[in-house]
Amino acid sequence: MNLACSTCPVKETAACAVLTPEERDAMAAAGRTRTLKRGEMLFAAGDEDAACATLLTGALKVSAIDADGNEQILALVHPAGFIGELFAPFAHHDVVALTDSRLCTFAKRDIERAIEDYPALARALLRRSQADLLATRTLLELTGHASAEARLAALLHDFAAAASDSSCHLAQRFDLPLTRGEIANMLGLTIETVSRKIGELEDTGAIQREGKRGIIIRDADLLQEISGR
């Protein structure tokens, strides 16, 4: 079915927010919604017909498999994030749902046409690409030089920022989209270290665990100080 832009949960924060209502309607005619279950793949490395998409709800991981068959998580995608390799002949990485997720998808040819027709959209996507590049560089710097505590605090800080409905403050509560094993993979730590450091962050009063995956931010300033963000 065609997209209902008026009820879109990320209509104010997605790249298409720069378009006029008429331009959005024109794009919506070419778009489709897609729902993924946790663990379901949006597209795989080597897909020639990989679509481009905006994440509406949920969370995705971008990963690669090395020669030994080990997964390396390269990036996370949060709501309003754009997924797709524009102008590339095929996808270079796997994109998999970390939680039940809903997306607004477009064929590459439709996105390429929209970029030509709407310069504001092209600029918005360029800004997002620059932000994604900065996030990747920050992650590399974090995993290469920061302490285990700072790595984990920075990741929790970013999760809280992504879950917030405002760019001015962190969400008070969120559910971890990653398992502890996935967190360890992404941060270059062991599962045991992740579990221990989560406990230590709770002991400092920065966070509080709630259930299996829930995290409550008790002291956002302290979390940010520990993270180095």
Side-chain angles (χ1 to χ4, degrees), residues 4-24:
C5 293
S6 61
T7 59
C8 173
V10 296
K11 63 181 179 181
E12 302 298 334
T13 52
C16 59
V18 299
L19 300 177
T20 67
E22 293 75 18
E23 290 169 341
R24 282 194 188 189

Side-chain angles (χ1 to χ4, degrees), residues 97-139:
L98 289 168
T99 65
D100 291 352
S101 302
R102 191 161 58 95
L103 305 103
C104 157
T105 65
F106 296 88
K108 278 190 176 181
R109 64 180 180 275
D110 293 323
I111 286 291
E112 290 172 3
R113 185 180 304 114
I115 287 174
E116 292 179 0
D117 292 343
Y118 312 127
L121 178 64
R123 290 191 294 271
L125 290 175
L126 177 59
R127 287 193 295 269
R128 285 179 181 271
S129 296
Q130 291 172 325
D132 290 344
L133 179 58
L134 176 60
T136 299
R137 289 174 174 171
T138 301
L139 178 63

Side-chain angles (χ1 to χ4, degrees), residues 40-54:
E40 189 175 352
M41 189 171 291
L42 174 62
F43 50 74
D47 281 357
E48 295 186 5
D49 298 320
C52 297
T54 293

Side-chain angles (χ1 to χ4, degrees), residues 189-216:
L189 304 172
T190 65
I191 295 176
E192 293 76 15
T193 298
V194 169
S195 296
R196 185 173 67 254
K197 292 303 177 181
I198 288 177
E200 291 177 5
L201 286 173
E202 187 169 30
D203 291 340
T204 67
I207 66 168
Q208 177 184 330
R209 286 173 286 189
E210 184 181 61
K212 187 176 181 180
R213 287 181 177 261
I215 296 291
I216 298 172

